[in-house]
Amino acid sequence: MKTVTLALSFFFVSIIAMAQEETGVDITVTIDNVTSNEGKVLAGLHTQETFMAGPGMQNEQSNVENGKVVITFKNVTPGTYAIMAMHDVNDNNRMDYQSNGMPKESFGMSGNDMTMGPPTFDSAKFEVGTENLELTIRF
């Protein structure tokens, strides 16, 4: 009887452990040209539906150390995504703009497209498969 109880215990523990396995990948983003250590960097992982429309599927933030930030999005399922990042110098959790509509704070996107005008999902998108990714974003 002890053997049956022990076997069932191991069986249930293994089911619980398997249910808690990660099903996605990690995306590690490095930004190494932040202009100051003030404030923090905010980053969002977006689908085409959320891009430039509000919060991302995952949102992370990090303090700046020596002009560099490393942010990791965990357990991302396969698909097409884009990452938007900004340096929130004054810690107000939003982008600040000049009177002419130009951003006051540094920002960047996956794909590192630096053309004039608002960014597009197509220029920032990348594919997530089954392996962890490492990306670099330039402000």
Side-chain angles (χ1 to χ4, degrees):
M1 188 63 167
K2 287 182 183 179
T3 305
V4 172
T5 303
L6 187 59
L8 285 174
S9 297
F10 282 128
F11 175 73
F12 287 122
V13 168
S14 67
I15 288 176
I16 291 170
M18 287 172 48
Q20 293 178 356
E21 281 184 22
E22 290 187 7
T23 57
V25 301
D26 292 347
I27 303 170
T28 302
V29 178
T30 302
I31 304 168
D32 58 10
N33 67 332
V34 184
T35 56
S36 75
N37 290 338
E38 295 178 55
K40 61 190 170 207
V41 170
L42 308 174
L45 177 69
H46 292 269
T47 62
Q48 187 165 12
E49 290 76 30
T50 65
F51 189 78
M52 299 291 288
M57 305 297 292
Q58 287 187 36
N59 299 286
E60 300 292 336
Q61 61 182 315
S62 177
N63 292 324
V64 184
E65 293 183 23
N66 299 317
K68 184 177 181 176
V69 173
V70 177
I71 294 174
T72 302
F73 296 97
K74 296 192 174 287
N75 203 26
V76 179
T77 57
T80 304
Y81 298 94
I83 295 174
M84 299 170 52
M86 66 163 280
H87 184 194
D88 184 18
V89 177
N90 58 2
D91 275 330
N92 66 352
N93 292 316
R94 63 183 179 88
M95 174 69 79
D96 294 316
Y97 296 92
Q98 299 175 23
S99 59
N100 65 1
M102 296 297 292
K104 285 184 179 179
E105 298 169 308
S106 300
F107 67 95
M109 311 284 158
S110 50
N112 292 308
D113 183 21
M114 296 295 178
T115 57
M116 295 299 288
T120 64
F121 183 78
D122 284 340
S123 65
K125 70 181 178 181
F126 60 93
E127 295 295 322
V128 171
T130 58
E131 295 185 17
N132 292 339
L133 295 174
E134 292 186 12
L135 303 173
T136 300
I137 293 178
R138 306 272 312 151
F139 282 167

